[in-house]
Amino acid sequence: MKNIVDPWFTVQGLDSKTFAISEYGHWEKVHSFLLLGETRAALIDTGLGIDSIKRITDQLTDLPIIVLTTHVHADHIGGHVDYETIYVHGDDANWLINGIEGLPLEQIRKNMARDITLPIPDSFNPDTYKPYQGYPDRLLSDGDTIDLGNRSLSIYHTPGHSPGHISILDDKTGYLFTGDLLYSDTPVYAFYPSTSPEDLVNSLEKIAKIKAVSKIYGGHNQLGLEPKILEEVLAAIQYLKENHLVRHGTGIHAFKSFSVHF
């Protein structure tokens, strides 16, 4: 990989055909991921939209790119406008088309503009910022497989943080991309009106049982978690269920966010 020096994005090669594209100048420290196959590439999320992520992907590949949306929140769909082929789970499709439920535009703009530590491009105006809206090209479901050409991605429906949240397993490398289901250092939130703590716990249990995971890549903060954390996640979930902290239909009073620390 050639060394890419950019004023906004940090590019790190996870291997010769997988790249993390990170936005460390923003308090959310968002990661997007570009996976190259032989016939096409997948871009897992498109970041904040403060600057154009396409500027980076154009330097990394000439392959046609499909965007795999882990979930429809503003910090993961910011660059969708620059790509022709967008995939999203069916349960988040309405948010992509009509706007994100449960998060007022004023709050989204405030979150987007605060605690920025790098110069922002002239094209970004937080007062007029609006999350991407558009029609997806394909609706994903649990168990779907995406073929990139000698590289296959498996889709896991992992709701909780959003109804249509997905996690993505790279069957060739064992990389598990978990979006906002699992990452380190700060809480994974599940107390908005549009979230479900119960679903979040069940989704964590689901990914904790996936075999042959070599590395976990969440959507924020530390880049890359060791798979042993899945054992700790599973133990925490079992504790919650054994102590009746999960209530169907009433949420989780003692478990409004999940945070991994080392």
Side-chain angles (χ1 to χ4, degrees):
M1 182 191 111
K2 64 180 179 179
N3 186 34
I4 296 178
V5 178
D6 189 86
W8 181 254
F9 297 99
T10 299
V11 182
Q12 296 168 267
L14 308 182
D15 59 45
S16 63
K17 293 189 175 182
T18 312
F19 304 92
I21 306 171
S22 306
E23 300 179 70
Y24 290 118
H26 189 272
W27 65 277
E28 293 195 86
K29 296 180 175 60
V30 176
H31 305 299
S32 304
F33 300 93
L34 182 67
L35 284 60
L36 307 183
E38 291 186 353
T39 58
R40 58 181 179 171
L43 180 59
I44 299 176
D45 293 337
T46 60
L48 295 155
I50 289 175
D51 208 343
S52 175
I53 196 171
K54 190 173 186 295
R55 180 176 69 244
I56 302 300
T57 59
D58 281 350
Q59 296 177 68
L60 292 171
T61 186
D62 294 324
L63 292 168
I65 293 175
I66 58 170
V67 171
L68 302 180
T69 312
T70 63
H71 63 295
V72 180
H73 281 166
D75 52 326
H76 295 265
I77 62 171
H80 276 37
V81 66
D82 289 328
Y83 297 92
E84 294 183 0
T85 308
I86 308 292
Y87 292 2
V88 68
H89 190 276
D91 290 349
D92 267 13
N94 183 58
W95 293 10
L96 195 70
I97 297 166
N98 297 311
I100 302 163
E101 292 181 8
L103 290 173
L105 181 57
E106 293 77 13
Q107 185 62 49
I108 291 172
R109 287 174 173 171
K110 184 183 295 185
N111 289 341
M112 200 61 59
R114 74 178 178 90
D115 298 336
I116 294 176
T117 59
L118 289 176
I120 58 175
D122 293 338
S123 58
F124 175 67
N125 182 349
D127 295 329
T128 58
Y129 176 91
K130 289 187 68 175
Y132 170 85
Q133 287 181 230
Y135 286 88
D137 298 277
R138 175 176 168 180
L139 299 182
L140 296 170
S141 299
D142 187 66
D144 282 353
T145 299
I146 309 297
D147 181 16
L148 302 180
N150 199 30
R151 190 172 192 177
S152 179
L153 308 179
S154 295
I155 304 300
Y156 291 82
H157 183 210
T158 51
H161 186 67
S162 80
H165 190 289
I166 61 170
S167 298
I168 301 162
L169 179 68
D170 182 344
D171 298 319
K172 188 168 187 177
T173 64
Y175 299 158
L176 179 63
F177 299 92
T178 55
D180 279 9
L181 173 65
L182 178 63
Y183 52 76
S184 68
D185 303 331
T186 55
V188 175
Y189 296 103
F191 55 82
Y192 300 120
S194 55
T195 62
S196 169
E198 182 186 12
D199 285 346
L200 183 73
V201 170
N202 290 333
S203 292
L204 286 166
E205 183 174 29
K206 183 176 186 175
I207 66 161
K209 294 179 178 179
I210 297 174
K211 306 298 182 184
V213 174
S214 65
K215 203 82 168 181
I216 300 162
Y217 292 101
H220 300 270
N221 303 328
Q222 179 180 327
L223 183 62
L225 303 174
E226 296 301 324
K228 64 181 181 180
I229 193 60
L230 295 177
E231 299 174 10
E232 299 176 35
V233 167
L234 191 57
I237 291 163
Q238 290 171 346
Y239 172 82
L240 288 169
K241 291 190 172 183
E242 288 170 2
N243 289 275
H244 306 290
L245 295 177
V246 182
R247 299 281 195 275
H248 179 72
T250 61
I252 303 172
H253 301 294
F255 186 69
K256 288 189 175 181
S257 64
F258 183 89
S259 184
V260 179
H261 298 280
F262 299 94

